Amino acid sequence: MRDLKDPHDLTVQDFRSTVHSFEFWFEAVEGYLHGRPYGVTPHSVEADFSDHQRDALITTLCNYCVGETAALEASSGMIAFAPDLNAKIFLSTQVVDEGRHLEVLMHRMAMLGVVDQEAEIKSRANRSLVQFKDRLLEFVDLRDWEAAVFAQNVILECLEFTVFQHHATVADAITAQMLRGIVSDERRHMGFGENDLGRRLLAAPHTHDRLARIKRELDTLVISAFAEAMRQIEIDPENQPDLAGHYLAAVARLGFRP
Ligand SMILES: [Fe+2]
Ligand SMILES: [Fe+2]
C-alpha cells in the first residue's frame, strides 16, 4: 500500500497525481479495507450495551447515514458539472467511498438489531442535518460548483471528520474500528475541497465573498447538528472535540478570517 500523506502537505502536482487518481485511491483504501468486511475485523466481540446505550448509538448511526447519503447524492451529481476530467475522476472515488460508508453504517445498525434501517433513519434524522442536506443538493441542482464543493468537501467533511474521529476514541470497539476506516476517506475528501477552492479563490477572489455568505448561512445548521451529535454520544461540553477550531482551520486555509 502506498503511504497517503496528509493531502494538505502535498504540492499541487503531487496532489493531482495522488488524490485525483483512481489508481492511488485503490491502493490507499486496500490497506484498511482488506480483510475487514463492512469495515470490521471478523469475529470482533460485541460490547455489552444497556438498552439506553444501544438506542443512543442507533440514533447516532442514523444521523451519520443522513450525512453520508447527502455526500453520496451530492458527489455523484457533481460529476456532471465538475470543471475538469481530473475532478470527475476524483469524484468517482468519493462516490464509492460514500456508498461504502453508508453501507457499513447500515450494517452496523443491523448488527444492533435494526431491521428496517431506512425507516429508522427517517424517524431519527436530525432536522438541521436534513436542512443542510437539502441546501447542499440545491447547490448541486443549480450546478454551482464552488458552492457545492464548499458545502460538501469543506463544511460537511470537516463536520464528519471531527465527529467521527472523536467518536472513535470513546465508542465500543466495533464502532470505533469502522469509524477509523471512514475517517481515512473523509480526510482525502476534505483535501480535495480545500485544494480545488484554494486555487479557485486565488484565480477569482470575488468568489470569496460568495462563499463567506454561504458559510454564514450554513454555520447555524452545522453547529446545531454538531451539538446534537455530541449530546447523543454523551460527551460533556468540556470533553468535546474542537469543531470550531478544525472548522476555522479548514476555512482559514482557504483565506477566510473568523
Ligand atoms: Fe463519508
Ligand atoms: Fe466524505
Coordinates of all heavy atoms in Angstrom, one line a residue, residues 67-68 71-72 75 90 94 97-98 101 152-153 156-157 160-161 164 182 185-190, ligand 2:
G67 N -25.8 12.2 6.8 CA -24.6 12.9 6.2 C -24.0 12.2 5.1 O -23.6 12.7 4.1
E68 N -23.9 10.8 5.2 CA -23.3 10.0 4.1 C -24.1 10.0 2.9 O -23.6 10.1 1.8 CB -23.0 8.6 4.6 CG -22.0 8.5 5.8 CD -20.6 9.1 5.4 OE1 -20.3 9.1 4.2 OE2 -20.0 9.5 6.4
A71 N -23.6 13.2 1.1 CA -22.4 13.3 0.3 C -22.5 12.3 -0.9 O -21.9 12.7 -2.0 CB -21.2 12.9 1.2
L72 N -23.1 11.2 -0.7 CA -23.3 10.3 -1.9 C -24.1 10.9 -3.0 O -23.6 10.9 -4.2 CB -24.0 9.0 -1.4 CG -24.3 7.9 -2.4 CD1 -23.0 7.4 -3.1 CD2 -25.1 6.8 -1.8
S75 N -22.0 14.2 -4.3 CA -20.8 13.9 -5.1 C -21.1 13.2 -6.4 O -20.4 13.5 -7.5 CB -19.8 13.1 -4.3 OG -20.3 11.9 -3.8
F90 N -11.7 12.2 -9.5 CA -11.7 12.2 -8.0 C -13.1 11.9 -7.5 O -13.3 11.1 -6.5 CB -11.2 13.6 -7.5 CG -11.5 13.7 -6.0 CD1 -10.8 13.0 -5.1 CD2 -12.7 14.3 -5.6 CE1 -11.1 13.0 -3.7 CE2 -13.1 14.3 -4.2 CZ -12.2 13.7 -3.3
Q94 N -14.9 9.4 -4.7 CA -15.7 9.8 -3.5 C -17.0 9.2 -3.5 O -17.5 8.8 -2.4 CB -15.8 11.4 -3.5 CG -16.6 11.8 -2.2 CD -16.6 13.3 -1.9 OE1 -16.0 14.1 -2.7 NE2 -17.3 13.7 -0.9
D97 N -16.5 5.8 -2.0 CA -16.3 5.9 -0.6 C -17.6 6.2 0.2 O -17.9 5.5 1.2 CB -15.4 7.1 -0.3 CG -13.9 6.9 -0.7 OD1 -13.5 5.7 -0.8 OD2 -13.2 7.9 -0.9
E98 N -18.4 7.1 -0.3 CA -19.6 7.5 0.4 C -20.6 6.3 0.4 O -21.3 6.1 1.4 CB -20.3 8.8 -0.1 CG -19.3 10.0 -0.3 CD -18.7 10.5 1.0 OE1 -18.9 9.8 2.1 OE2 -18.0 11.5 1.0
H101 N -19.4 4.0 3.0 CA -19.7 4.5 4.4 C -21.1 4.2 4.7 O -21.4 3.8 5.8 CB -19.4 6.0 4.5 CG -18.0 6.4 4.2 ND1 -17.6 7.7 4.0 CD2 -16.9 5.6 4.1 CE1 -16.3 7.7 3.8 NE2 -15.8 6.4 3.8
Q152 N -20.0 20.7 0.6 CA -19.7 19.3 0.8 C -18.3 19.0 1.3 O -18.1 18.4 2.3 CB -20.0 18.5 -0.5 CG -19.6 17.0 -0.4 CD -19.8 16.2 -1.6 OE1 -20.8 15.5 -1.7 NE2 -18.9 16.2 -2.5
N153 N -17.3 19.4 0.4 CA -15.9 18.9 0.7 C -15.2 19.7 1.7 O -14.1 19.3 2.2 CB -15.1 18.9 -0.6 CG -15.6 17.8 -1.5 OD1 -16.7 17.9 -2.0 ND2 -14.9 16.7 -1.7
L156 N -19.2 20.0 5.2 CA -19.8 18.7 5.7 C -18.6 17.7 6.0 O -18.7 17.0 7.1 CB -20.6 18.1 4.6 CG -21.2 16.7 4.9 CD1 -22.1 16.7 6.1 CD2 -22.0 16.2 3.7
E157 N -17.6 17.7 5.2 CA -16.5 16.8 5.5 C -15.8 17.1 6.8 O -15.3 16.3 7.6 CB -15.4 16.8 4.4 CG -16.0 16.2 3.1 CD -16.2 14.7 3.1 OE1 -15.8 14.0 4.1 OE2 -16.9 14.2 2.2
E160 N -18.0 15.9 9.6 CA -17.9 14.4 9.7 C -16.6 14.0 10.3 O -16.5 13.1 11.2 CB -18.2 13.8 8.4 CG -19.6 14.0 7.9 CD -19.9 13.3 6.6 OE1 -19.0 13.0 5.8 OE2 -21.1 12.9 6.3
F161 N -15.5 14.5 9.7 CA -14.2 14.2 10.2 C -14.0 14.4 11.7 O -13.5 13.5 12.4 CB -13.2 15.0 9.4 CG -11.7 14.8 9.8 CD1 -11.0 13.7 9.2 CD2 -11.1 15.6 10.7 CE1 -9.7 13.5 9.6 CE2 -9.8 15.4 11.0 CZ -9.1 14.3 10.5
F164 N -16.6 11.9 13.7 CA -16.2 10.5 13.6 C -14.9 10.3 14.4 O -14.7 9.3 15.1 CB -16.0 10.1 12.2 CG -17.3 10.1 11.3 CD1 -17.2 9.9 10.0 CD2 -18.5 10.3 11.9 CE1 -18.3 9.9 9.2 CE2 -19.7 10.3 11.1 CZ -19.6 10.1 9.8
I182 N -13.6 5.0 8.0 CA -14.3 6.1 7.3 C -13.5 7.4 7.4 O -13.4 8.1 6.4 CB -15.7 6.3 8.0 CG1 -16.6 5.1 7.8 CG2 -16.4 7.5 7.5 CD1 -17.9 5.1 8.4
D185 N -11.0 8.1 4.7 CA -11.5 8.6 3.5 C -11.9 10.1 3.6 O -11.7 10.9 2.6 CB -12.8 7.8 3.1 CG -12.5 6.3 2.9 OD1 -11.4 6.0 2.4 OD2 -13.4 5.5 3.1
E186 N -12.5 10.5 4.7 CA -13.0 11.9 4.8 C -11.8 12.9 4.8 O -12.0 14.0 4.2 CB -13.8 12.1 6.1 CG -14.9 11.1 6.4 CD -16.0 11.0 5.3 OE1 -15.8 11.4 4.2 OE2 -17.1 10.4 5.6
R187 N -10.7 12.4 5.2 CA -9.5 13.3 5.2 C -9.2 13.6 3.7 O -8.9 14.7 3.3 CB -8.3 12.6 5.9 CG -7.1 13.5 5.9 CD -5.9 12.8 6.6 NE -6.1 12.7 8.1 CZ -6.1 11.6 8.8 NH1 -6.1 10.5 8.2 NH2 -6.2 11.7 10.1
R188 N -9.3 12.6 2.9 CA -9.0 12.7 1.4 C -10.0 13.7 0.8 O -9.7 14.6 0.0 CB -9.1 11.4 0.8 CG -8.0 11.1 -0.2 CD -8.0 9.7 -0.7 NE -9.2 8.9 -0.7 CZ -9.4 7.8 0.1 NH1 -8.4 7.4 0.9 NH2 -10.5 7.2 0.1
H189 N -11.3 13.5 1.2 CA -12.3 14.4 0.6 C -12.2 15.8 1.0 O -12.4 16.7 0.2 CB -13.7 13.9 1.1 CG -14.0 12.4 0.7 ND1 -14.9 11.7 1.4 CD2 -13.4 11.6 -0.1 CE1 -14.9 10.4 0.9 NE2 -14.0 10.4 0.0
M190 N -11.8 16.1 2.2 CA -11.5 17.5 2.7 C -10.4 18.1 1.9 O -10.4 19.2 1.5 CB -11.1 17.5 4.2 CG -12.2 17.6 5.1 SD -11.6 17.4 6.8 CE -11.0 19.1 7.1
Ligands
FE2 FE -16.7 12.1 2.6

